[in-house]
Amino acid sequence: MSDAQVQFINVIKSFGDRTILKGISFEAKQGEILFILGTSGTGKSVLLKNLVGLLRPDTGEIWVDGEEVSQISEEKYFDIRKKCGMVFQHPALFDSLTVFENVAFGVRKHYDYPEEKIKEIVKKCLKLVHLDDVEEKLPQDISYGMQKRVSLARTVAISPKILLFDEPTTGLDPVTTNAVNQLILDLSKTLKTTSLVVSHDMHCALAIADRIIVLDKGNIVDQGTPAELKASKHPLVKEFLMEATTHA
Amino acid sequence: MISVIDSIGLSVIKTVIMVRDFVVLTLRTLVYTFTPPFRVSDIFKQLYFVINESAPIVIFCVCSAAAVTIIESSFHMKIIIQNDALVPGFAALLILRELGAVVSALLVTSRVGAGIAAEVGTMQITEQIDALKMLGINPIRFLVVPRLIASVIGGVVLSILANLVCLYVAMLVSQYKLGHSAGSFIVAMRAFVSMQDLYFAAIKGACFGFVIPLVSCYFGFRCKAGAEGVGLATTNSVVTISISIITIDFILSWIFSYFY
């Protein structure tokens, strides 16, 4: 095991006769922002879900914070998940709870804080994602973009060591997209949080990533720093770069 | 020929896997039901949903069922034996041993069972279940256990309530439509049924209440993406619970027959 906080070693994952991940190996060091880019259906979300045990790999090793987790029990995985926060593709907010209760949910579960401290944390996290006066609203009473930001606030609230983002800026306006990117950057620099960001937005990746992995049909086709990726000859990477230039 | 054998084999394997998964869900739920932490406020919330919001529908439907039972029994008895003096007794027997518990359970299935399957299914496809796991919450403990406890208690309460209301309505109908006095109804009823029948009806209610949330949550957890997936999960759960209720009713009635 290297000094990596997250490491995949030859991970294979299939659904029926469809192999989604075909022997993936990579690592992410503490405080690093690692972007995993790829077109839709290439196994990016599957990769993240394997990391936190929401899916289990067929073969291969997955190391999280020095512990091999691919074959541990569901009960043991709860401890691993305490170290990880995940922002899902959907906002995944609990419909029956208010925004405040949603953000406070994980804090209440993980920490024995007094109510005043919980209120303070919730307010701080909502402020981080530029949300005010929505605490008492239900998720269905706010816009989709706001729901995604609440989801982000809920994840950050538990202060995880590793943050996983599954297309965090999809469906967000440019201002909020920049705010989310800045937040990922701040958390990485100030708290040394390791961030794995699944996305197909090369523009964002070039702006904030320390390293980028490009996934295609279950294989890593290229990886490196943004500067290295800019010089890539791989057709898919070139296509992503062209798209990023168009949107810049 | 080979493809037919293949498809039969595949169906058998799928069924075995489904049964295995359901048994695992049931066993895990039972373990979590009797181990702390107990989510008391969630249990009360679910009790309100199961009992308070189902009671009016159950009462309305069993009233109609009771009226139909007693009127039809009287009509046919008068044709065959030219006398309907035994109708109150037979009606009471039918109500307590079958009608009250089964009708109320089927109504709870259509309301509570479908609701749970749709709710859990939607949570599954919108990644709320995954979010629960990520926040360190066990979805079975959080979602299934409170619903199971509430449904078992609700099943008992609604079964007893349905039986009592059913008997009362049957008495009113026999008094105002068939001309039997309330006293003669009660005398005839006591000749045919005892408190034991009410206890057995409560046991049936508990068993039906046990099945409803487990099957609904099972199909909810397996829900496929999209509105169609939620619809399918809901339909499958209602059909499976209804078949289970009829089957369990047969088994329990057969077992109880040794005690009469």
Coordinates of all heavy atoms in Angstrom, one line a residue, chain A residues 11-53:
Chain A
V11 N -9.5 -3.3 -10.6 CA -10.9 -3.6 -10.2 C -11.8 -3.9 -11.4 O -11.7 -3.2 -12.4 CB -11.5 -2.3 -9.4 CG1 -13.0 -2.5 -9.2 CG2 -10.8 -2.2 -8.1
I12 N -12.5 -5.0 -11.3 CA -13.4 -5.4 -12.4 C -14.8 -5.5 -11.8 O -15.0 -6.0 -10.7 CB -13.0 -6.8 -12.9 CG1 -11.6 -6.7 -13.6 CG2 -14.0 -7.3 -13.9 CD1 -11.0 -8.1 -14.0
K13 N -15.7 -4.9 -12.5 CA -17.1 -5.0 -12.1 C -18.0 -5.2 -13.3 O -18.0 -4.5 -14.3 CB -17.5 -3.7 -11.4 CG -19.0 -3.6 -11.0 CD -19.4 -4.5 -9.9 CE -20.9 -4.5 -9.6 NZ -21.2 -5.6 -8.7
S14 N -18.9 -6.3 -13.1 CA -19.8 -6.6 -14.2 C -21.2 -6.6 -13.7 O -21.5 -6.9 -12.5 CB -19.5 -8.0 -14.8 OG -18.1 -8.1 -15.2
F15 N -22.2 -6.4 -14.6 CA -23.6 -6.6 -14.3 C -24.1 -7.6 -15.4 O -24.1 -7.3 -16.6 CB -24.4 -5.3 -14.5 CG -24.0 -4.2 -13.4 CD1 -23.2 -3.2 -13.7 CD2 -24.5 -4.4 -12.2 CE1 -22.8 -2.2 -12.8 CE2 -24.2 -3.4 -11.2 CZ -23.3 -2.4 -11.5
G16 N -24.3 -8.8 -14.9 CA -24.7 -9.9 -15.9 C -23.5 -10.1 -16.8 O -22.4 -10.3 -16.3
D17 N -23.7 -10.1 -18.1 CA -22.6 -10.3 -19.0 C -22.0 -9.0 -19.5 O -21.2 -9.1 -20.4 CB -23.1 -11.2 -20.2 CG -24.3 -10.6 -20.9 OD1 -24.8 -9.6 -20.5 OD2 -24.8 -11.3 -21.8
R18 N -22.4 -7.9 -18.9 CA -21.8 -6.6 -19.3 C -20.7 -6.2 -18.3 O -21.0 -6.0 -17.1 CB -22.8 -5.5 -19.3 CG -23.4 -5.3 -20.7 CD -24.4 -4.1 -20.6 NE -23.6 -2.8 -20.6 CZ -24.1 -1.7 -20.0 NH1 -25.3 -1.7 -19.4 NH2 -23.4 -0.6 -20.0
T19 N -19.5 -6.1 -18.8 CA -18.4 -5.7 -17.9 C -18.3 -4.2 -17.9 O -18.0 -3.6 -19.0 CB -17.0 -6.4 -18.3 OG1 -17.3 -7.8 -18.3 CG2 -15.9 -6.1 -17.3
I20 N -18.5 -3.5 -16.8 CA -18.5 -2.1 -16.8 C -17.1 -1.5 -16.5 O -16.6 -0.6 -17.1 CB -19.5 -1.6 -15.7 CG1 -20.9 -2.2 -15.9 CG2 -19.5 0.0 -15.7 CD1 -21.5 -1.8 -17.2
L21 N -16.4 -2.1 -15.4 CA -15.1 -1.7 -15.1 C -14.1 -2.9 -15.5 O -14.3 -4.0 -15.0 CB -14.9 -1.3 -13.6 CG -15.8 -0.2 -13.1 CD1 -15.6 0.0 -11.6 CD2 -15.6 1.1 -13.8
K22 N -13.2 -2.6 -16.4 CA -12.3 -3.7 -16.9 C -10.9 -3.6 -16.4 O -10.0 -3.3 -17.1 CB -12.3 -3.6 -18.4 CG -13.7 -3.8 -19.0 CD -13.7 -3.5 -20.5 CE -15.1 -3.6 -21.1 NZ -15.3 -3.1 -22.5
G23 N -10.8 -3.8 -15.1 CA -9.4 -3.8 -14.5 C -8.9 -2.4 -14.3 O -7.8 -2.0 -14.8
I24 N -9.6 -1.6 -13.5 CA -9.2 -0.2 -13.2 C -8.2 -0.1 -12.1 O -8.4 -0.7 -11.0 CB -10.5 0.6 -12.8 CG1 -11.5 0.7 -14.0 CG2 -10.1 2.0 -12.3 CD1 -11.1 1.6 -15.1
S25 N -7.1 0.6 -12.3 CA -6.1 0.9 -11.3 C -5.8 2.4 -11.3 O -5.5 2.9 -12.3 CB -4.9 0.1 -11.5 OG -5.2 -1.3 -11.5
F26 N -5.9 3.0 -10.1 CA -5.5 4.4 -10.0 C -5.4 4.7 -8.5 O -5.8 3.9 -7.6 CB -6.4 5.3 -10.7 CG -7.7 5.5 -10.0 CD1 -7.9 6.5 -9.0 CD2 -8.8 4.7 -10.3 CE1 -9.2 6.6 -8.3 CE2 -10.0 4.8 -9.6 CZ -10.2 5.8 -8.7
E27 N -4.8 5.8 -8.1 CA -4.8 6.2 -6.7 C -5.0 7.7 -6.6 O -4.8 8.5 -7.6 CB -3.5 5.8 -6.1 CG -2.2 6.4 -6.7 CD -1.0 6.0 -6.0 OE1 -0.8 4.7 -5.7 OE2 -0.1 6.8 -5.7
A28 N -5.4 8.1 -5.4 CA -5.6 9.6 -5.1 C -4.9 9.8 -3.8 O -5.2 9.1 -2.8 CB -7.1 9.9 -5.1
K29 N -4.1 10.9 -3.7 CA -3.4 11.2 -2.5 C -4.2 12.2 -1.6 O -5.1 12.8 -2.1 CB -2.0 11.8 -2.8 CG -1.1 10.8 -3.4 CD 0.3 11.3 -3.6 CE 1.3 10.3 -4.0 NZ 1.0 9.6 -5.3
Q30 N -3.8 12.3 -0.4 CA -4.6 13.2 0.5 C -4.5 14.6 0.0 O -3.5 15.1 -0.3 CB -4.0 13.1 2.0 CG -4.9 13.8 2.9 CD -4.3 13.8 4.3 OE1 -3.3 13.3 4.6 NE2 -5.1 14.5 5.2
G31 N -5.7 15.2 0.0 CA -5.8 16.6 -0.4 C -5.8 16.8 -1.9 O -6.0 18.0 -2.4
E32 N -5.7 15.7 -2.6 CA -5.7 15.8 -4.1 C -7.2 16.0 -4.6 O -8.1 15.4 -4.1 CB -5.1 14.6 -4.6 CG -4.8 14.7 -6.1 CD -4.0 13.4 -6.6 OE1 -4.3 12.3 -6.1 OE2 -3.2 13.6 -7.5
I33 N -7.3 16.7 -5.7 CA -8.6 16.8 -6.5 C -8.4 16.0 -7.7 O -7.6 16.4 -8.6 CB -9.0 18.2 -6.8 CG1 -9.1 19.0 -5.5 CG2 -10.3 18.2 -7.6 CD1 -9.4 20.5 -5.8
L34 N -9.1 14.8 -7.8 CA -8.9 13.9 -8.9 C -10.2 13.9 -9.7 O -11.3 13.6 -9.2 CB -8.6 12.5 -8.4 CG -8.5 11.5 -9.5 CD1 -7.2 11.7 -10.3 CD2 -8.4 10.1 -8.9
F35 N -10.2 14.4 -10.9 CA -11.3 14.3 -11.8 C -11.4 13.0 -12.6 O -10.3 12.6 -13.1 CB -11.3 15.5 -12.8 CG -12.2 16.7 -12.3 CD1 -11.8 17.4 -11.2 CD2 -13.4 17.0 -13.0 CE1 -12.6 18.5 -10.8 CE2 -14.1 18.1 -12.5 CZ -13.8 18.8 -11.4
I36 N -12.5 12.4 -12.6 CA -12.7 11.2 -13.5 C -13.7 11.6 -14.6 O -14.9 11.8 -14.4 CB -13.3 10.0 -12.6 CG1 -12.3 9.7 -11.5 CG2 -13.5 8.8 -13.5 CD1 -12.9 9.0 -10.3
L37 N -13.1 11.7 -15.8 CA -13.9 12.2 -16.9 C -14.3 11.0 -17.8 O -13.6 10.0 -17.9 CB -13.1 13.2 -17.8 CG -12.8 14.6 -17.1 CD1 -12.1 15.4 -18.2 CD2 -14.1 15.3 -16.7
G38 N -15.4 11.2 -18.5 CA -15.8 10.1 -19.5 C -17.2 10.4 -20.0 O -17.9 11.2 -19.3
T39 N -17.5 9.8 -21.1 CA -18.9 10.0 -21.6 C -19.9 9.2 -20.8 O -19.5 8.4 -19.9 CB -18.9 9.5 -23.1 OG1 -18.4 8.2 -23.1 CG2 -18.2 10.4 -24.0
S40 N -21.1 9.5 -21.0 CA -22.2 8.8 -20.2 C -22.1 7.3 -20.4 O -21.8 6.8 -21.5 CB -23.6 9.3 -20.6 OG -23.6 10.6 -20.4
G41 N -22.3 6.5 -19.3 CA -22.3 5.0 -19.4 C -21.0 4.4 -19.5 O -20.9 3.2 -19.8
T42 N -19.9 5.1 -19.1 CA -18.6 4.5 -19.2 C -18.2 3.9 -17.8 O -17.1 3.3 -17.7 CB -17.5 5.5 -19.6 OG1 -17.7 6.6 -18.8 CG2 -17.6 5.8 -21.0
G43 N -19.0 4.0 -16.8 CA -18.7 3.4 -15.5 C -18.2 4.3 -14.5 O -17.6 3.9 -13.4
K44 N -18.3 5.6 -14.7 CA -17.8 6.6 -13.7 C -18.5 6.5 -12.3 O -17.9 6.4 -11.3 CB -17.9 8.0 -14.2 CG -17.4 8.3 -15.6 CD -17.4 9.7 -16.0 CE -18.8 10.3 -16.1 NZ -19.6 9.8 -17.3
S45 N -19.9 6.5 -12.4 CA -20.6 6.4 -11.1 C -20.4 5.1 -10.5 O -20.4 5.0 -9.2 CB -22.1 6.7 -11.4 OG -22.3 7.9 -12.0
V46 N -20.3 4.0 -11.3 CA -20.1 2.7 -10.8 C -18.8 2.6 -10.0 O -18.7 2.0 -8.9 CB -20.1 1.6 -11.9 CG1 -19.7 0.2 -11.4 CG2 -21.5 1.6 -12.6
L47 N -17.8 3.3 -10.5 CA -16.5 3.4 -9.9 C -16.6 4.0 -8.5 O -16.1 3.4 -7.5 CB -15.6 4.2 -10.8 CG -14.1 4.2 -10.4 CD1 -13.3 4.3 -11.7 CD2 -13.7 5.4 -9.6
L48 N -17.3 5.1 -8.4 CA -17.5 5.8 -7.1 C -18.3 4.9 -6.1 O -17.9 4.8 -4.9 CB -18.2 7.1 -7.2 CG -17.5 8.3 -7.8 CD1 -18.3 9.6 -7.5 CD2 -16.1 8.5 -7.2
K49 N -19.3 4.3 -6.6 CA -20.2 3.4 -5.7 C -19.4 2.2 -5.2 O -19.7 1.7 -4.2 CB -21.5 3.0 -6.5 CG -22.4 4.2 -6.6 CD -23.8 3.8 -7.2 CE -24.7 5.1 -7.2 NZ -26.0 4.8 -7.7
N50 N -18.5 1.7 -6.0 CA -17.6 0.6 -5.6 C -16.7 1.0 -4.4 O -16.4 0.3 -3.5 CB -16.8 0.1 -6.7 CG -17.5 -1.0 -7.5 OD1 -17.5 -2.2 -7.1 ND2 -18.0 -0.7 -8.6
L51 N -16.3 2.3 -4.5 CA -15.4 2.8 -3.4 C -16.1 2.8 -2.1 O -15.4 2.6 -1.1 CB -14.9 4.2 -3.9 CG -14.1 5.0 -2.9 CD1 -12.8 4.3 -2.6 CD2 -13.8 6.4 -3.4
V52 N -17.4 3.1 -2.0 CA -18.0 3.3 -0.7 C -19.0 2.1 -0.4 O -19.8 2.1 0.5 CB -18.9 4.6 -0.7 CG1 -17.9 5.8 -0.5 CG2 -19.8 4.8 -1.9
G53 N -18.8 1.0 -1.2 CA -19.6 -0.2 -0.9 C -21.0 -0.2 -1.3 O -21.7 -1.1 -0.9

